[in-house]
Amino acid sequence: MMHHQCEFSHVTKKYLTRFYEILDEMVCGMTDAKLEDSISHNFIVQMVPHHKAAIDMSYNILQYTTFVPLQNIASTIITEQMHSIENMMCALDRCSALCSSEQDLCLYQRRFDQIAETMFCEMRTACATNDINANFMREMIPHHRGALRMCENALRFSICPELDPIIQAILVSQRAGIREMERLLRCLGACA
């Protein structure tokens, strides 16, 4: 459901329509991922569609924004998340070989489901106005927060050593991205 204060412009409608399509694709990709008896495998196959959504969201905003700081953020997201996907896909076969206990799998997936549901809800109900720049940041901040929580959840368990530096890089980049977007929202005088 869209929260708005006024009638949307034609451009805002186009931007939001594509955003909600990307969100629906991400939800399907994450919830329909083929899970195995490996937390490392499951983390990767559920994080890849999450990253792909960030890339698509960034391409979407780049069609509309002339705000240079946001162009830089979107370009950075595209570069970092494409690199992260590449690293995860390279590690997938080896990481999938590390099996997890049934108890760990249950605990991991239970927490993952909670994180994902919160993220999906916060993104879907993000405040939408005719300020597309602010819309993007209000949508991307909960997306990044979801990634942080998913990474923190994975690190509670025994995971593939090859996956650890990938997760650490995600944590660093997403925390920096959230800080920068929160700062820009304040500069724009927009609510978070």
Side-chain angles (χ1 to χ4, degrees):
M1 181 173 173
M2 299 182 208
H3 297 288
H4 55 92
Q5 302 158 340
C6 57
E7 187 177 340
F8 290 136
S9 70
H10 176 67
V11 171
T12 299
K13 287 177 183 175
K14 282 179 68 177
Y15 167 82
L16 287 172
T17 297
R18 180 63 188 131
F19 164 68
Y20 291 116
E21 288 171 359
I22 293 164
L23 177 55
D24 289 343
E25 289 162 10
M26 180 185 76
V27 171
C28 288
M30 292 176 70
T31 55
D32 295 345
K34 188 178 182 305
L35 304 182
E36 294 186 2
D37 60 354
S38 165
I39 287 171
S40 299
H41 169 93
N42 296 349
F43 175 86
I44 292 171
V45 298
Q46 291 178 309
M47 185 59 84
V48 166
H50 181 272
H51 274 12
K52 284 181 177 169
I55 293 166
D56 290 342
M57 288 168 66
S58 297
Y59 280 125
N60 189 32
I61 191 64
L62 286 172
Q63 292 183 75
Y64 301 101
T65 189
T66 57
F67 186 43
V68 173
L70 199 54
Q71 290 174 340
N72 293 338
I73 287 172
S75 297
T76 298
I77 288 170
I78 291 166
T79 301
E80 289 180 347
Q81 306 228 355
M82 285 177 76
H83 183 63
S84 185
I85 289 172
E86 188 179 311
N87 288 340
M88 285 190 284
M89 295 312 294
C90 284
L92 182 59
D93 285 345
R94 291 180 298 279
C95 285
S96 297
L98 181 65
C99 293
S100 307
S101 71
E102 193 173 325
Q103 185 178 27
D104 280 358
L105 283 164
C106 180
L107 290 169
Y108 170 82
Q109 194 59 43
R110 181 180 174 84
R111 178 65 184 131
F112 175 89
D113 291 343
Q114 293 168 342
I115 293 164
E117 196 50 50
T118 298
M119 178 184 63
F120 299 156
C121 180
E122 288 177 353
M123 291 177 71
R124 197 171 303 284
T125 59
C127 176
T129 67
N130 280 309
D131 184 346
I132 294 175
N133 294 328
N135 291 347
F136 172 83
M137 291 185 279
R138 286 190 292 251
E139 295 152 2
M140 188 61 82
I141 288 170
H143 182 275
H144 275 18
R145 283 196 188 120
L148 293 178
R149 292 175 184 138
M150 288 188 282
C151 288
E152 289 159 357
N153 183 39
L155 291 173
R156 293 165 55 218
F157 302 93
S158 179
I159 58 167
C160 172
E162 203 172 338
L163 193 52
D164 189 68
I166 297 170
I167 287 178
Q168 296 302 332
I170 293 170
L171 289 169
V172 169
S173 69
Q174 309 284 285
R175 285 176 182 142
I178 289 169
R179 281 194 304 271
E180 180 63 9
M181 286 186 282
E182 286 177 339
R183 185 188 70 77
L184 284 178
L185 278 173
R186 287 193 299 272
C187 290
L188 292 171
C191 60

